[in-house]
């Protein structure tokens, strides 16, 4: 199962619908997940309209989870939407360069670090939990015994394997799309 989220509209429109290299960001991210070995895709969306739009794009081959108005953001999405006993790759829709190769690399690191809850890529700015790969049951167990906190703080513990950005085989993997100047020329 995969949880692909990202609904921010800093660039003036729904990020999922932004076009990069002739494809919408949501299409790029879903393709990256599939190339990384994941087939069950769950997309976190803001409302029913966005849910229907995304399901239509993928001919109902993805599931959606609608954020409730009283949710505590990604914390609640993860806590209430993750399945049990699955390896889950989390990817934000604004991370189109986190490709199948990067996802497979995290899978390999997680297998070598079986005692960890998950693998979290670290950029120069710290942990990037919206690109982590986790064992869902282990993550859910710890989340159920914790108060909601920022994911960056939550994953900054011995329970998670840190993967330094310098170790990623794709040098652009942690690059994301938040502002117009993030788009390649």
């Amino acid at each position: 199962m995969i949880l692909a989220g990202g609904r921010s509209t800093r660039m003036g429109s729904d990020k999922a619908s932004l076009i990069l290299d002739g494809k919408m960001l949501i299409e790029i991210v879903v393709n990256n997940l599939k190339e990384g070995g994941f087939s069950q895709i769950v997309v976190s969306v803001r409302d029913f309209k966005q849910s229907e739009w995304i399901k239509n794009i993928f001919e109902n081959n993805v599931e959606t989870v609608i954020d409730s108005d009283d949710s505590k953001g990604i914390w609640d999405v993860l806590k209430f939407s993750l399945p049990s006993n699955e390896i889950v790759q989390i990817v934000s829709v604004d991370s189109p360069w986190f490709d199948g190769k990067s996802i497979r690399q995290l899978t390999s690191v997680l297998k070598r670090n079986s005692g960890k809850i998950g693998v979290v890529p670290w950029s120069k700015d710290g942990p990037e939990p919206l690109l982590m790969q986790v064992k869902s049951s282990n993550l859910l167990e710890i989340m159920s015994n914790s108060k909601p906190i920022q994911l960056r703080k939550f994953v900054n513990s011995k329970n998670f394997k840190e993967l330094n950005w310098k170790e990623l085989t794709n040098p652009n993997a942690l690059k994301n799309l938040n502002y117009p100047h993030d788009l390649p020329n």
Side-chain angles (χ1 to χ4, degrees):
M1 175 178 188
I2 311 307
L3 183 67
R7 297 154 313 279
S8 179
T9 57
R10 288 185 197 160
M11 293 181 62
S13 63
D14 184 346
K15 280 189 189 181
S17 67
L18 293 177
I19 304 294
L20 179 66
D21 297 332
K23 290 186 178 181
M24 288 185 287
L25 290 184
I26 190 72
E27 292 174 300
I28 294 169
V29 171
V30 167
N31 287 338
N32 289 344
L33 290 166
K34 289 179 179 179
E35 288 173 14
F38 291 90
S39 59
Q40 185 180 359
I41 311 291
V42 178
V43 180
S44 172
V45 297
R46 72 176 158 270
D47 56 30
F48 180 78
K49 183 178 177 182
Q50 188 181 40
S51 173
E52 292 303 304
W53 173 72
I54 287 175
K55 286 179 183 178
N56 187 47
I57 290 170
F58 296 104
E59 299 174 347
N60 289 317
N61 289 319
V62 300
E63 296 175 43
T64 60
V65 175
I66 299 173
D67 290 350
S68 67
D69 291 334
D70 60 343
S71 79
K72 297 186 178 25
I74 191 67
W75 180 275
D76 279 355
V77 170
L78 293 174
K79 188 173 179 180
F80 299 116
S81 301
L82 289 179
S84 297
N85 299 317
E86 297 277 343
I87 300 297
V88 176
Q89 176 66 57
I90 300 166
V91 180
S92 174
V93 76
D94 63 1
S95 299
W97 298 283
F98 196 76
D99 59 5
K101 188 182 214 179
S102 302
I103 292 166
R104 289 188 304 275
Q105 186 175 3
L106 262 64
T107 301
S108 176
V109 171
L110 185 58
K111 284 180 183 176
R112 290 192 313 268
N113 292 275
S114 60
K116 300 290 183 181
I117 292 172
V119 178
V120 181
W122 280 57
S123 69
K124 296 174 188 174
D125 299 321
E128 300 293 342
L130 294 182
L131 296 174
M132 69 181 168
Q133 191 173 116
V134 298
K135 298 174 189 170
S136 61
S137 291
N138 299 65
L139 180 65
L140 289 169
E141 182 179 335
I142 288 185
M143 288 181 88
S144 68
N145 296 318
S146 301
K147 291 181 181 179
I149 62 173
Q150 286 183 333
L151 281 182
R152 281 183 177 249
K153 290 180 182 178
F154 182 73
V155 301
N156 191 3
S157 76
K158 63 181 176 17
N159 294 317
F160 294 88
K161 170 66 178 157
E162 174 184 327
L163 181 63
N164 188 290
W165 64 275
K166 293 177 184 177
E167 298 174 62
L168 287 165
T169 54
N170 175 352
N172 293 315
L174 301 185
K175 185 177 174 184
N176 65 10
L177 190 58
N178 284 315
Y179 303 98
H181 65 268
D182 293 332
L183 284 168
N185 295 329

